[in-house]
Amino acid sequence: MKLYIVPTPIGNLEDITLRALRVLKEADFVLCEDTRTTKNLLRHYEMDKRCYAYHIFNEHQQVANLVNMIKIAGSVALTSDAGTPGISDPGFLLIRECLAADIKVECLPGATALIPALVNSGLPADKFYFHGFLPHKKGKETTLKMLAERDETVIFYESPFRLVKTLEMMLHIFGEGRQISVARELTKIHEENFRGTVAEAVSHFSEKEVKGEIVVVVKGK
Ligand code: SAM
């Protein structure tokens, strides 16, 4: 009995390792954030697997049941819609409960959005702080103030609909001259890596509607 955490592509379907494909092929079943998304990936690699849903809306009710299913199975794979499960995606709860039940857990290295965004940024990558998503409303300003004080490079995920508002808030909190990099649509056709100051980022992203998936990387204090 073993739970494999299997990273899946964040855009480019080629970004999956040979081992991830083998683990998916050999798994008794796959736990997926969205069974349709994972089934599309499996179909692309000509695999047909039993898939069960494991997502934020059912993880608390399902976790005990899933631990029992994994105990009986030989090997089970956990995927999310994109990137590494457990990173701003469901996974933590199941991993914790599997470990508590003496089930082996192994995370395969692979796709995640924060690492290419950090490395592309050209900002120091020796130490960094990853915050996941910012709070949407309440607590957002306090969180940004806390992030602005960090010495290491700061990384967070942001929605395209909130990006400009967040950058405008950052003007006052981080200062307009702080270096920033905004990675958009990594590994996809319209990939963009904007690098400049916070003030330049505000004018760049205010020009037209922001689309796609975003990672923000900011130089430490
Ligand atoms: N588990 C994923 C990982 O390992 O990166 C993160 C999942 S989180 C629900 C989705 C967020 O990740 C997006 O809103 C965006 O901030 C970031 N993201 C995912 N794919 C991306 C991409 N191709 N380009 C830029 N950001 C991406």
Side-chain angles (χ1 to χ4, degrees):
M1 57 185 186
K2 190 160 180 177
L3 175 67
Y4 286 95
I5 316 302
V6 181
T8 55
I10 58 166
N12 186 327
L13 283 182
E14 291 177 5
D15 290 333
I16 187 156
T17 67
L18 296 174
R19 184 150 83 103
L21 292 175
R22 180 178 55 76
V23 166
L24 287 169
K25 200 169 188 178
E26 290 173 2
D28 294 297
F29 58 87
V30 184
L31 298 174
C32 321
E33 184 181 8
D34 184 332
T35 51
R36 287 163 304 181
T37 308
T38 300
K39 279 191 168 184
N40 280 341
L41 178 75
L42 293 173
R43 208 171 297 122
H44 180 82
Y45 286 101
E46 294 170 357
M47 281 183 238
D48 185 21
K49 279 277 145 186
R50 266 186 306 152
C51 289
Y52 300 106
Y54 172 74
H55 46 63
I56 49 164
F57 304 108
N58 74 358
E59 62 178 346
H60 287 274
Q61 303 96 293
Q62 280 295 327
V63 75
N65 184 26
L66 293 176
V67 168
N68 286 331
M69 285 166 67
I70 298 168
K71 271 186 187 162
I72 300 165
S75 123
V76 174
L78 172 68
T79 61
S80 61
D81 287 351
T84 302
I87 301 297
S88 296
D89 264 341
F92 159 70
L93 197 63
L94 183 64
I95 292 164
R96 187 184 67 185
E97 295 308 309
C98 282
L99 291 174
D102 275 333
I103 295 170
K104 284 191 187 131
V105 175
E106 186 174 341
C107 178
L108 273 53
T112 187
L114 70 123
I115 298 298
L118 168 66
V119 177
N120 276 340
S121 73
L123 296 170
D126 53 341
K127 287 189 229 101
F128 61 88
Y129 174 80
F130 172 62
H131 193 82
F133 286 101
L134 302 177
H136 294 183
K137 289 193 184 103
K138 204 164 162 275
K140 180 166 177 176
E141 192 172 342
T142 317
T143 304
L144 284 171
K145 282 182 177 160
M146 180 275 286
L147 295 179
E149 290 305 310
R150 295 207 69 106
D151 291 324
E152 325 87 326
T153 300
V154 167
I155 308 167
F156 60 89
Y157 289 162
E158 186 52 291
S159 126
F161 311 111
R162 288 188 287 270
L163 178 69
V164 172
K165 178 90 197 343
T166 302
L167 292 171
E168 284 169 352
M169 288 174 79
M170 289 175 72
L171 275 177
H172 311 292
I173 300 171
F174 287 71
E176 41 188 61
R178 183 82 76 101
Q179 290 295 310
I180 188 169
S181 170
V182 179
R184 199 173 64 79
E185 296 286 81
L186 286 163
T187 79
K188 304 184 197 175
I189 298 167
H190 299 291
E191 172 164 347
E192 175 189 15
N193 286 280
F194 170 88
R195 303 173 187 90
T197 63
V198 173
E200 286 163 349
V202 170
S203 51
H204 177 81
F205 287 102
S206 301
E207 271 171 18
K208 55 178 195 252
E209 189 193 353
V210 183
K211 289 186 182 152
E213 300 194 276
I214 308 274
V215 186
V216 178
V217 185
V218 201
K219 189 164 186 204
K221 195 181 175 192

